[in-house]
Amino acid sequence: MEKLPRLPRMAAIHDLSGLGKCSLTVALPIVSVTGVECCCIPTALLSTHTGGFTDWTFTDLSGDIVPIAEHWHELGVGFDAIYSGYLASETQGKLLERAIELLRGENTLVIVDPAMADNGRYYANLGGEMTECFRRLIKKADIITPNMTEACFLTGMEYRPGVHDEAYVAELIDRLSELGPSFVAITGVSTESGRVGIVARDNRSGKMCSVMNKTLDGMFHGSGDVFASAFAALLTQGAPLEDALNTAEEFVTAAIERTAARGTPREYGLDFEGVLPDYIDACRKLFK
């Protein structure tokens, strides 16, 4: 067999929720089918995610985050990307900062999804301390993928549900950019009634791009994680930013539509498995 090129490698630092597809349970399969090796550092173990479920179990794995990173560092393992998401506490944010320092190489892409809030409020058991935590982390990030609520909390701007005017979204991106990332992608933006999507800007070139799709009623838990996992993996594979944005958004939209058609309870997460074949085909076209 002809010698193959080295497989890109990503460190995915998220919680592991056993039921309710989000965080590592979506990152691992989606990153892998994109053709990127996914090395996991679990920050916590939960029976379910904290949105839409009650009485979940929680095991804090804070004590393992830095030792795992130190072991990988000692082994001399190189990473093309580091991708972080939900953190259970501000303390974990400080541990993640150290893990990034240990694992980041000269050309490592750092993607931070500041997963802490939605619909104008923080997730269960989280509060304002997480805003300061993620502001510090974003200073180390190349790319960030907040939703509208998280973008507002991070910038101190008023959260507005519903249709968002261009000036409001542009100011959010400006203020987020002041925190240091090269690329900002805000999810859950609605620039016209009945449509929702993502608005992004490459701060190196100043180029803006957006993708919008028809709105479906209700909340789809885990959709942000599905998008961010695909987006991060595509960028790690070397896809141009706009192609990565469009491909990841098409994937998550197809998964949302399938979830709605199947009638899956929203807290159980997206039926992304059923659209993985189409996503793989899209990746092949990008990287052929």
Side-chain angles (χ1 to χ4, degrees), residues 70-84:
E70 287 175 337
H71 185 212
W72 291 352
H73 179 72
E74 290 167 3
L75 291 172
V77 179
F79 290 90
D80 299 278
I82 301 168
Y83 162 44
S84 72

Side-chain angles (χ1 to χ4, degrees), residues 34 92 119 203 214 216 219 271 273:
T34 313
Q92 288 195 340
N119 293 317
N203 288 323
K214 182 180 178 181
L216 293 175
M219 181 177 182
D271 180 11
E273 299 91 340

